[in-house]
Amino acid sequence: MFKKKRTLIALVEDKPGVLNRVVSLFRRRGYNIQSLAVGGSERTGLSRMSFVVVGDSAVVEQVRKQLDKLIDVVKVSDITDMDAVFRELALIKVKAPASVRSEIMQIVDIFRANIVDVSLNSLTVEVTGDDSKIGSLIGLLHRFGIKEIARTGKIAITRGGVKD
Amino acid sequence: MNKTGAQILCDSLVKEGVEVIFGILGGALLPLYDILPQYPQIRHILTRHEQGAVHAAEGYARATGRVGVCIATSGPGATNLVTGIADAYMDSVPLVAITGQVATPFIGKDAFQETDITGITLPITKYNYLVTDVTRLAEIVKEAFHIAQTGRPGPVLIDIPKDVLQAVTNFVYPEKVNLPSYKITSRGHMAQIRRAVKLIDKAERPLIIAGRGILISRAWDELKLLAEKAQIPVVSTLLGLSSFPGRHILNFGMLGMHGMAYANLAVQNADLVIAIGMRFDDRATANTDDFAPLARIIHIDIDPAEISKNVPADVPIVGDVKAVLNVLNKEVGSNDHLEWVSQLGQWKYEYPLVDLSQGDKLLPQYIVEQICEVTQGDTVVVTGVGQHQMWAAQHFTYTRLNSFISAGGLGPMGFGLPAAMGARIGLPEETVWCIDGDGSFQMNIQELGTIAQERIAIKIAIMNNGFLGMVRQWQEMFYHGRYVHTKLWNPDFVKIAEAYDIPGIRVKHKEEVVSAINRAMDCPGPFLLDFAVEPEENVYPMVSPGENLAKFIDTPRPEVLSK
């Protein structure tokens, strides 16, 4: 069957061990997580987890149901096909000797990214966006020599008007 | 009122109506066991191994439908519970396992008898707790019992450090649990039920597959009503046995790898499968790609994650089996499927189980049938795991509801003896037969000590073939008869029983079987029968791994051979 990337969001109890339960489930059932982001939510005592998983629709439906079965999970939604905002933040440290520095800064400008750290030989770029935006920026910076990349993983929220 | 953690635990168990706990103490549990005599309402059964304790608690839970409770000390005590916890998880058995833990300041320091039992049991419990604060203890016990027995039942583990047992706080047992994220869908979706009714009403060859969910939900009357109203034949999974009357004209036995040929043929030829409280285990379905190829599938189960996990459902109904059937039965039209039912009857006639009336050999199947005959089926049968388990499933006619207790999903050898103890303790008025194999029996043989100490009056029948028989059968059939490490040297089980002050006899001949069973029944206490059965008898029918259910290897028949 056709495998594709799906984004799930889960509202979970903010208790010790919950992340472990969730990750253990993925390991135990052999599901593939491409990215996972966890943080607070609008409700005290609850966290929001965003997952990107890869699999055919039957697998992803199983992931959703198995997650929902965990006692600490309040709600799980597959929002891939919903009207939602997806964002990820990446920090990219790129080699930047004086000769190419301005060229890099131009690219950064076009992507509405920021330079958050500068040293003699490198620049650190902060970029926010969806997969393809971050992907193309990384692609463009590649030829300058990328020293390090740190990515948060995708987080998502449904657009206003969509019911909870 | 101020109480210690140990007292709070006991008071909470009393509040939950716990009448018996199975366990073994140890250093971390001393504060608890020290005060246990203050709670005479809680009977404690001291087993000889923690695996015995957890299987006994499972046997108790499976026989009574109440939550089984077992207890073990930290470290090795806790790890010895793991097999039984995994088993309870696979077979949806309501179980609360309590483990001692080293005192909180020692946690994470690799202290003596410390183990991360909540980490170890994470994937095999419905939920688990490490109690770090005594003020949370009562609430946690309340939650644990609630989670264990509601929805799809399962094991819950509570790990309690020694200092939490000693700490003091005000004891108030909560009235209600506060678990907003724990949700159960018990009433089926009406639109789906209507779709199911439509399919049932127009089906020509419908078939019910009854699983353990019927027993858990106590929906046997509803199942019977559905089958009779619409004249739908019923086959069972291994764990669904005894959910539908054994001698009912619509009962066509067990499906699966060692299912009846006619049950498997029914599945492969049905145009509608109504799967109730079952999870399409591979031992039941054989090759799922070719499972019930002509059928639409209605799947009724309380666990949404079971829907379309192994076999895609055309009509999924998530809900409590009893509640769903209640609604469904009202909507379903009366029907008769004369042609279909008589077709199944024809298959039943064409493919009977092995003929036991002939020959002098002491066959295990014959013994099972004679236990059924002598007891008139009025007994609870508990099995170990292996060939004897399949013979007990095939050859005993389960006329009594919920009278077959067996470990189906995990298949832990050694289950039979302790589970039979637990079943008998839960049902002290009932006869309990433990049908075991010589290999399986020896995996928890030490529980004879518990049986002797507590005078637990179970009847033990060992199908002693001197082999790890099921594995031997596979070696014979699929590994060219190379018997590698399946032959067992066995002790004299009658002498072993005698050493434990349990009477027993060895039976070598077919004609002694009935009198031996009668003798066991006449004995008021425990009794052991060691049957020296035909060593290389195989379980038939058998569906080879990877084949579909219709491609069974049938029971070899002398008249066919002679042709």
Side-chain angles (χ1 to χ4, degrees):
Chain A
M1 261 202 277
F2 182 61
K3 284 189 179 185
K4 65 181 265 196
K5 283 187 203 171
R6 310 284 304 180
T7 306
L8 305 182
I9 52 175
L11 205 56
V12 306
E13 299 271 353
D14 180 14
K15 283 195 218 163
V18 174
L19 181 60
N20 191 8
R21 284 176 200 280
V22 169
V23 173
S24 165
L25 171 72
F26 278 83
R27 177 196 54 79
R28 144 89 178 89
R29 304 229 174 236
Y31 306 140
N32 192 357
I33 307 185
Q34 200 178 57
S35 85
L36 167 63
V38 194
S41 76
E42 71 286 1
R43 285 154 72 177
T44 42
L46 296 182
S47 306
R48 181 164 266 116
M49 291 186 179
S50 306
F51 309 87
V52 177
V53 292
V54 183
D56 62 48
S57 56
V59 168
V60 175
E61 180 60 5
Q62 261 295 306
V63 172
R64 193 191 62 71
K65 289 197 274 198
Q66 293 288 352
L67 277 173
D68 208 19
K69 196 165 140 180
L70 291 178
I71 287 171
D72 293 316
V73 173
V74 180
K75 185 182 162 73
V76 189
S77 325
D78 179 347
I79 61 162
T80 317
D81 301 324
M82 289 167 78
D83 191 12
V85 183
F86 302 93
R87 285 292 180 273
E88 182 176 5
L89 184 144
L91 296 172
I92 308 156
K93 189 183 288 179
V94 59
K95 282 186 195 162
S99 54
V100 295
R101 194 160 285 209
S102 59
E103 194 183 342
I104 292 172
M105 286 166 74
Q106 271 180 4
I107 294 170
V108 166
D109 262 355
I110 295 165
F111 276 80
R112 283 186 238 158
N114 299 311
I115 290 167
V116 291
D117 188 52
V118 185
S119 76
L120 213 52
N121 305 314
S122 71
L123 290 172
T124 299
V125 180
E126 173 204 282
V127 60
T128 310
D130 58 17
D131 245 7
S132 65
K133 178 177 169 188
I134 293 175
S136 14
L137 178 58
I138 291 172
L140 283 172
L141 294 179
H142 231 282
R143 67 189 168 95
F144 303 108
I146 289 174
K147 297 171 83 171
E148 275 179 62
I149 297 178
R151 299 175 68 157
T152 58
K154 183 155 80 173
I155 58 167
I157 203 158
T158 50
R159 284 189 196 274
V162 179
K163 270 196 296 182
D164 183 32
Chain B
M1 195 182 157
N2 274 349
K3 293 190 170 189
T4 65
Q7 288 171 317
I8 289 170
L9 176 61
C10 290
D11 275 302
S12 304
L13 293 178
V14 170
K15 290 273 188 194
E16 288 298 329
V18 173
E19 54 176 19
V20 60
I21 58 180
F22 303 87
I24 306 182
L25 71 171
L29 286 177
L30 278 167
L32 173 66
Y33 275 71
D34 188 44
I35 56 114
L36 207 50
Q38 297 167 21
Y39 295 85
Q41 341 45 337
I42 303 173
R43 181 178 177 194
H44 179 271
I45 306 287
L46 176 66
T47 60
R48 294 301 179 271
H49 189 290
E50 289 84 358
Q51 192 185 348
V54 62
H55 286 327
E58 280 194 272
Y60 173 90
R62 290 172 191 248
T64 63
R66 295 196 288 270
V67 178
V69 181
C70 62
I71 187 156
T73 193
S74 65
T79 55
N80 279 345
L81 294 179
V82 168
T83 300
I85 292 172
D87 185 59
Y89 191 62
M90 284 288 252
D91 286 355
S92 314
V93 177
L95 180 84
V96 169
I98 297 163
T99 48
Q101 182 54 281
V102 298
T104 45
F106 292 99
I107 291 178
K109 306 289 191 329
D110 300 320
F112 177 65
Q113 292 194 331
E114 184 197 352
T115 195
D116 174 18
I117 196 62
T118 46
I120 289 169
T121 59
L122 195 72
I124 53 166
T125 48
K126 194 169 166 189
Y127 203 61
N128 64 19
Y129 297 90
L130 168 62
V131 187
T132 51
D133 175 3
V134 71
T135 62
R136 280 268 293 140
L137 182 57
E139 188 188 341
I140 284 173
V141 176
K142 176 89 186 170
E143 283 179 13
F145 276 82
H146 179 74
I147 291 169
Q149 62 191 316
T150 51
R152 178 177 178 176
V156 180
L157 180 134
I158 311 174
D159 194 25
I160 314 175
K162 190 174 185 181
D163 55 333
V164 173
L165 289 172
Q166 290 163 322
V168 173
T169 189
N170 184 34
F171 172 65
V172 184
Y173 201 62
E175 297 273 308
K176 279 194 278 189
V177 289
N178 178 28
L179 286 167
S181 55
Y182 177 60
K183 52 228 165 253
I184 301 157
T185 311
S186 51
R187 291 174 52 192
H189 195 280
M190 204 53 222
Q192 297 291 45
I193 293 179
R194 287 208 190 91
R195 282 182 63 205
V197 168
K198 266 190 200 154
L199 287 183
I200 295 170
D201 284 347
K202 68 166 201 219
E204 286 171 11
R205 300 184 310 280
L207 180 73
I208 293 171
I209 304 179
R212 187 170 136 69
I214 303 278
L215 295 168
I216 295 170
S217 176
R218 298 179 170 266
W220 35 71
D221 291 337
E222 290 75 8
L223 170 66
K224 189 157 168 271
L225 183 62
L226 174 63
E228 287 176 351
K229 188 173 180 187
Q231 287 295 302
I232 305 172
V234 178
V235 299
S236 306
T237 65
L238 176 70
L239 296 187
L241 286 174
S242 79
S243 65
F244 189 69
R247 294 193 200 286
H248 198 288
I249 193 156
L250 292 170
N251 191 329
F252 288 92
M254 176 176 80
L255 85 162
M257 179 176 270
H258 290 298
M260 309 341 187
Y262 42 91
N264 289 344
L265 286 171
V267 174
Q268 294 307 89
N269 287 282
D271 67 350
L272 178 69
V273 161
I274 308 157
I276 312 176
M278 56 86 75
R279 59 179 180 84
F280 296 96
D281 176 85
D282 55 89
R283 285 295 188 267
T285 60
N287 189 339
T288 48
D289 295 337
D290 208 7
F291 172 80
L294 310 175
R296 304 267 228 135
I297 292 176
I298 299 170
H299 189 187
I300 308 173
D301 201 282
I302 197 156
D303 181 357
E306 286 304 341
I307 305 289
S308 302
K309 184 184 78 179
N310 293 344
V311 170
D314 296 293
V315 180
I317 306 177
V318 176
D320 173 54
V321 164
K322 192 182 178 93
V324 171
L325 288 184
N326 254 323
V327 179
L328 189 86
N329 283 343
K330 287 192 192 105
E331 309 268 325
V332 154
S334 293
N335 217 327
D336 72 76
H337 298 99
L338 269 183
E339 211 175 308
W340 172 232
V341 175
S342 60
Q343 171 67 70
L344 264 66
Q346 177 65 27
W347 284 327
K348 192 169 179 175
Y349 174 76
E350 280 173 37
Y351 299 100
L353 290 172
V354 59
D355 180 9
L356 298 167
S357 60
Q358 309 293 313
D360 302 326
K361 286 179 179 172
L362 180 52
L363 292 181
Q365 300 96 316
Y366 174 78
I367 297 161
V368 170
E369 290 197 356
Q370 292 313 308
I371 293 173
C372 184
E373 199 67 30
V374 170
T375 59
Q376 297 285 300
D378 188 18
T379 180
V380 174
V381 172
V382 184
T383 75
V385 169
Q387 286 183 311
H388 69 277
Q389 179 187 26
M390 292 302 116
W391 288 317
Q394 294 175 331
H395 289 269
F396 197 100
T397 308
Y398 294 93
T399 47
R400 209 193 118 115
L401 290 167
N402 196 24
S403 56
F404 177 72
I405 294 178
S406 195
L410 188 72
M413 286 172 67
F415 175 82
L417 190 65
M421 293 174 356
R424 166 74 187 186
I425 285 168
L427 303 171
E429 307 297 321
E430 310 297 334
T431 309
V432 174
W433 274 90
C434 171
I435 297 179
D436 219 338
D438 47 319
S440 196
F441 179 66
Q442 288 181 85
M443 283 211 189
N444 272 315
I445 193 170
Q446 77 288 342
E447 296 310 324
L448 289 173
T450 311
I451 291 166
Q453 186 164 352
E454 298 285 341
R455 302 311 296 167
I456 304 169
I458 60 169
K459 313 302 172 188
I460 304 158
I462 304 173
M463 307 293 144
N464 186 349
N465 56 14
F467 279 106
L468 297 169
M470 186 59 93
V471 186
R472 184 208 55 75
Q473 177 172 343
W474 281 56
Q475 287 177 335
E476 179 191 324
M477 297 172 76
F478 308 118
Y479 292 84
H480 303 285
R482 291 188 298 271
Y483 293 173
V484 181
H485 294 298
T486 38
K487 184 92 190 88
L488 292 175
W489 178 92
N490 285 331
D492 181 332
F493 292 125
V494 174
K495 277 191 187 161
I496 296 243
E498 193 184 308
Y500 280 102
D501 199 21
I502 295 168
I505 44 177
R506 186 166 171 81
V507 183
K508 292 179 178 164
H509 305 289
K510 192 177 178 180
E511 60 274 15
E512 301 161 0
V513 169
V514 173
S515 65
I517 295 167
N518 274 313
R519 202 165 144 198
M521 292 291 287
D522 291 341
C523 174
F527 202 93
L528 181 143
L529 295 173
D530 177 19
F531 292 101
V533 299
E534 191 56 30
E536 298 188 35
E537 182 66 11
N538 286 340
V539 182
Y540 292 112
M542 177 170 187
V543 179
S544 301
E547 294 288 3
N548 76 47
L549 285 176
K551 298 228 176 103
F552 50 85
I553 303 166
D554 195 18
T555 308
R557 296 176 208 286
E559 66 270 36
V560 176
L561 294 177
S562 63
K563 268 180 203 166

